[in-house]
Amino acid sequence: MTALPSPDAAALLGAIHFDADGLVPCIAQQHDTGEVLMMAWMNRDSVIETLATGRVTYWSRSRRALWRKGETSGQVQHLRELRLDCDGDTLLALVDQHGVACHTGRRSCFYRAAREGAVVELSAPEADPKALYGA
Amino acid sequence: MTALPSPDAAALLGAIHFDADGLVPCIAQQHDTGEVLMMAWMNRDSVIETLATGRVTYWSRSRRALWRKGETSGQVQHLRELRLDCDGDTLLALVDQHGVACHTGRRSCFYRAAREGAVVELSAPEADPKALYGA
């Protein structure tokens, strides 16, 4: 059960425009290097828990459950600041990412681009997914 | 009418998982400073046109039309690279933003955060929205 919202969470929740499913996209950015690490979704409880614990918690649409980033893999995201955009429908989490953000073992999920008519990988894994998530 | 996809667009379109509305979220990041400028949506034609013209074109969900960023305001986004995330459901556009990205006249749309129980503004407008969009 998620606790009551902190004053900051209550203020932020009052300004967020959640979509019809009660979700809002959240971009995670490494606070010092500026690297965009991933994008995932938050619901009301995610916002409350993220601000209460200082560790970023998303909502997993596939598992339909709170997704405490790094709970299985250890690759947690410590929150530095949770920002909101002009029309209130997207969040930007400035984080300190422990290890890698991507389930493939890469630092960032955005490692693919199209070059010469093919989708290519721009970076290699830094960690073995089997070590992060088990076999 | 949007032209046929370029080879790069065709490759990228084959890897993008559009949502039930045929849309995919796209984060715009200033390529050199790393600043996250905004998040908006693209459909198939947006991706084709963005890669064909080198200027970022979104899909406006409110106007239900292609949104050629800067068409009215002059605040265009020149594309440096369009990246795709690990599961193909989010794009990251590395751009060179001319002027300001936000319709409020701020460089970035993510200028709000909660502090001491209130949503505060972290930056002031650099441009007058009236000058960008007319009265």
Side-chain angles (χ1 to χ4, degrees):
Chain A
M1 195 65 92
T2 301
L4 284 176
S6 66
D8 280 357
L12 207 56
L13 288 169
I16 296 174
H17 296 170
F18 292 98
D19 71 11
D21 296 319
L23 301 177
V24 61
C26 179
I27 302 158
Q29 180 181 34
Q30 176 65 30
H31 73 98
D32 47 4
T33 65
E35 188 173 20
V36 174
L37 301 169
M38 58 181 285
M39 199 282 274
W41 296 79
M42 288 191 173
N43 66 1
R44 186 185 149 79
D45 285 351
S46 303
V47 173
I48 293 171
E49 185 166 312
T50 296
L51 289 178
T53 65
R55 281 174 51 170
V56 181
T57 294
Y58 301 99
W59 174 257
S60 168
R61 295 180 299 172
S62 56
R63 291 189 287 109
R64 302 191 60 79
L66 285 176
W67 167 22
R68 296 174 178 93
K69 175 70 181 164
E71 197 172 32
T72 305
S73 66
Q75 312 297 288
V76 301
Q77 291 179 342
H78 297 282
L79 184 73
R80 293 301 185 98
E81 185 161 81
L82 191 57
R83 293 191 184 162
L84 182 63
D85 77 345
C86 51
D87 49 9
D89 64 7
T90 308
L91 295 169
L92 175 67
L94 300 179
V95 305
D96 193 12
Q97 170 72 54
H98 178 82
V100 298
C102 185
H103 76 286
T104 65
R106 291 173 178 85
R107 178 77 179 165
S108 164
C109 294
F110 297 96
Y111 63 86
R112 298 193 290 169
R115 300 246 173 108
E116 299 179 9
V119 174
V120 300
E121 298 184 352
L122 307 173
S123 66
E126 297 174 19
D128 180 356
K130 286 202 191 83
L132 298 177
Y133 297 99
Chain B
M1 193 67 88
T2 301
L4 285 176
S6 66
D8 280 357
L12 207 56
L13 288 169
I16 296 174
H17 295 169
F18 292 98
D19 71 10
D21 296 320
L23 302 177
V24 61
C26 179
I27 302 158
Q29 180 181 33
Q30 176 65 30
H31 73 99
D32 47 3
T33 65
E35 188 173 21
V36 175
L37 300 169
M38 58 181 285
M39 197 284 273
W41 297 79
M42 287 191 174
N43 65 1
R44 187 173 189 281
D45 285 349
S46 304
V47 173
I48 293 171
E49 184 165 315
T50 295
L51 288 178
T53 64
R55 282 174 51 170
V56 181
T57 294
Y58 300 99
W59 174 258
S60 167
R61 295 180 300 172
S62 56
R63 291 189 287 110
R64 303 192 60 77
L66 284 177
W67 167 23
R68 296 174 178 93
K69 175 70 180 165
E71 199 172 31
T72 305
S73 66
Q75 312 296 287
V76 300
Q77 292 178 341
H78 296 283
L79 183 72
R80 293 302 185 99
E81 184 160 81
L82 191 56
R83 294 189 183 162
L84 183 63
D85 78 344
C86 51
D87 49 8
D89 63 7
T90 308
L91 295 169
L92 175 65
L94 301 180
V95 305
D96 192 13
Q97 170 73 54
H98 178 82
V100 299
C102 184
H103 76 286
T104 65
R106 291 173 177 85
R107 178 79 180 162
S108 164
C109 294
F110 296 96
Y111 62 86
R112 299 193 289 169
R115 301 244 174 109
E116 299 178 10
V119 174
V120 301
E121 298 183 351
L122 307 174
S123 66
E126 298 174 19
D128 181 356
K130 286 202 191 82
L132 297 178
Y133 298 97

